[in-house]
């Protein structure tokens, strides 16, 4: 009996493949991969013509704040520092409602899905201001959007843990209710060791990975990442800990930065560079030779550290611009991290796909037999064209079901 596919996509270019390929999907999985020149193609209930465009695995957005998106029209003043952005947002959080947070979060998710995102990790804030409302809003959205997007939720103490009494109990309750990742923030509590011990203990209690906001400054004395790496190794959690920002590494002397990169690699930490926010916030105190304020992406990649790219914020005090489009953020990183070559474009696409999937611990990911059919198709023919052009036309599938054709929003309504 011949194989009957649910979906056959013909004549597409894959990464590291010189000739056109056909991709077959059945029951949400990729079950057929063959050269487009095959004489006999399997039957399919639906066929899509790839027309020589490049087919990538669905983008993975590894670090984003949903409930803090689209706040510009509520701001009474602009943020001119990290602490100002934190304080302005904390003040606005008193007016957040669950419906309001879900509406703004869903707007971000819609844009992300249209952009080709099929997996996302968001940071839901848990603190005495919001209680569990932001987490509960994210938990409900996770179920609502699952046909188009797999959502991981980080239980995130933006206002600090010991600094904000009651946060530790709220975090524990959120993890009990279904949090996917334990969050931490190294620059909010005075006692770093106490903060790290709490986060690692909670991760051990619930058997979950960890995702830190760490070293978000251009002060080379702030190097919590060294402590994180050491505790990761001691806990045997190599490959299970991520850190976003880590921009102080970019202010270290070369020799010390090399040493830190080697330690990060030893601990198998995933470093999430967040260029839109990092470039906007950092370097403001430099009167001469202002720093770019990024983590040293090139150096970390040379040491084979898994560096991935996150959108982080969308139009709020931390980042008053931006879209939930990983390609836009990758393009910005390419410009500011000197990644303009053809090989760099391939690295950038890897950072948005396989690298980010590794950071999130995803299984069954990629364009290969047995993987979930999470894919995005471009008319562009190379990774470099995709990064440079950021094509607007994208066709997206989640487990083999079309969730977006960028020029036709109606498809999104069915899922979101």
């Amino acid at each position: 009996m011949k194989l009957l596919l649910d979906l056959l996509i013909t004549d597409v270019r894959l990464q590291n493949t010189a000739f056109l390929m056909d991709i077959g999907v059945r029951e949400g999985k990729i079950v057929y991969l063959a050269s487009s020149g095959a004489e006999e193609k399997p039957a399919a209930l639906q066929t899509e013509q790839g027309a020589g465009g490049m087919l990538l695995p669905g983008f993975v957005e590894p670090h984003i704040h949903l409930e803090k998106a689209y706040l510009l029209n509520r701001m009474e003043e602009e943020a001119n520092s990290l602490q100002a952005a934190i304080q302005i947002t904390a003040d606005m959080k008193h007016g957040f409602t669950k419906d309001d947070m879900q509406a703004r979060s869903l707007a971000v998710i819609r844009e992300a899905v249209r952009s080709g995102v099929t997996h996302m990790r968001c940071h839901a804030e848990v603190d005495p201001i919001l209680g569990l409302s932001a987490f509960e809003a994210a938990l409900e959205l996770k179920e609502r959007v699952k046909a188009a997007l797999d959502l991981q939720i980080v239980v995130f103490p933006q206002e600090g843990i010991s600094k904000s009494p009651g946060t530790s109990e709220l975090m524990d309750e959120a993890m009990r209710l279904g949090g996917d990742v334990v969050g931490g923030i190294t620059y909010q509590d005075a006692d770093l060791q106490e903060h790290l011990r709490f986060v690692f203990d909670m991760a051990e209690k619930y058997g979950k990975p960890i995702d830190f906001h760490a070293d978000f400054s251009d002060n080379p004395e702030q190097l919590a990442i060294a402590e994180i790496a050491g505790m990761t190794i001691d806990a045997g959690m190599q490959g299970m800990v991520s850190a976003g920002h880590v921009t102080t590494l970019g202010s270290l002397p070369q020799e010390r930065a090399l040493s830190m990169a080697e330690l990060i690699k030893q601990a198998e930490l995933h470093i999430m560079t967040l260029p839109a926010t990092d470039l906007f916030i950092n370097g403001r105190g430099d009167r001469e030779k202002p720093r770019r304020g990024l983590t040293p992406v090139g150096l970390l990649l040379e040491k084979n550290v898994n560096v991935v790219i996150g959108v982080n914020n969308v139009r709020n005090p931390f980042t008053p611009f931006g879209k939930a489009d990983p390609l836009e953020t990758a393009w910005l990183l390419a410009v500011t991290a000197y990644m303009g070559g053809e090989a760099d474009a391939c690295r950038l696409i890897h950072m948005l796909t396989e690298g980010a999937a590794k950071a999130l611990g995803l299984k069954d990911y990629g364009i290969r037999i047995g993987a979930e059919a999470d894919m995005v198709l471009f008319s562009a023919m190379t990774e470099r064209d995709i990064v440079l052009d950021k094509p607007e036309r994208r066709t997206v599938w989640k487990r083999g079901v079309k969730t977006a054709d960028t020029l036709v929003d109606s498809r999104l309504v069915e899922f979101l």
Side-chain angles (χ1 to χ4, degrees), residues 369-386:
I369 298 293
E372 290 191 346
D374 297 337
M375 306 169 289
V376 53
L377 176 64
F378 296 88
S379 57
M381 297 181 183
T382 69
E383 290 100 323
R384 195 174 197 177
D385 289 336
I386 290 171

Side-chain angles (χ1 to χ4, degrees), residues 195-221:
H195 186 99
L196 295 182
R197 279 196 300 271
F198 176 84
V199 172
F200 275 90
D201 286 349
M202 183 159 288
E204 180 181 18
K205 176 179 179 179
Y206 287 98
K208 297 293 186 179
I210 295 171
D211 196 325
F212 286 104
H213 285 55
D215 299 339
F216 186 15
S217 81
D218 41 35
N219 179 356
E221 299 307 312

Side-chain angles (χ1 to χ4, degrees), residues 91-311:
D91 292 343
M92 285 192 289
K93 286 195 317 189
H94 289 280
F96 288 5
T97 67
K98 185 183 287 188
D99 287 346
D100 162 53
M101 288 187 287
Q102 285 190 336
R104 288 183 289 105
S105 297
L106 190 57
V108 177
I109 290 173
R110 285 177 178 271
E111 186 169 62
V113 170
R114 283 194 295 267
S115 299
V117 175
T118 57
H119 296 81
M120 175 182 284
R121 175 180 284 183
C122 72
H123 293 255
E125 299 193 9
V126 173
D127 55 53
I129 301 173
L130 292 173
L132 293 177
S133 61
F135 171 77
E136 290 168 347
L139 203 61
E140 291 173 10
L141 273 179
K142 179 178 179 177
E143 177 66 22
R144 179 177 174 181
V145 304
K146 66 181 181 181
L149 182 86
D150 287 327
L151 185 65
Q152 289 186 6
I153 305 174
V154 182
V155 175
F156 178 52
Q158 171 72 79
E159 311 303 330
I161 300 175
S162 62
K163 181 180 177 181
S164 301
T167 298
S168 59
E169 292 83 1
L170 287 166
M171 289 183 69
D172 190 69
E173 178 67 3
M175 292 304 300
R176 187 188 69 79
L177 291 173
D180 298 298
V181 185
V182 182
I185 180 167
T186 64
Y187 43 88
Q188 279 288 69
D189 285 328
D191 190 331
L192 175 62
Q193 290 297 320
E194 179 185 34
H195 186 99
L196 295 182
R197 279 196 300 271
F198 176 84
V199 172
F200 275 90
D201 286 349
M202 183 159 288
E204 180 181 18
K205 176 179 179 179
Y206 287 98
K208 297 293 186 179
I210 295 171
D211 196 325
F212 286 104
H213 285 55
D215 299 339
F216 186 15
S217 81
D218 41 35
N219 179 356
E221 299 307 312
Q222 292 184 11
L223 277 178
I225 197 67
E227 302 295 329
I228 291 171
M231 292 185 74
T232 297
I233 293 168
D234 291 344
M237 289 188 67
Q238 292 92 328
M240 295 181 65
V241 179
S242 302
H245 300 296
V246 198
T247 55
T248 56
L249 285 183
S251 293
L252 293 181
Q254 180 76 358
E255 187 174 336
R256 195 174 182 202
L258 280 167
S259 176
M260 292 303 306
E262 289 167 355
L263 178 60
I264 288 168
K265 175 58 180 175
Q266 183 183 354
E268 298 178 31
L269 301 181
H270 309 286
I271 301 299
M272 300 183 175
T273 183
L274 313 170
T277 303
D278 296 343
L279 289 163
F280 180 71
I281 294 291
N282 286 326
R284 289 170 176 260
D286 294 338
R287 294 295 171 255
E288 296 181 4
K289 301 178 181 179
R291 285 165 285 185
R292 294 199 167 197
L294 294 173
T295 198
V297 173
L299 174 64
L300 292 169
L301 290 175
E302 286 176 14
K303 293 298 180 180
N304 295 315
V305 172
N306 185 35
V307 183
V308 302
I309 307 167
V311 166

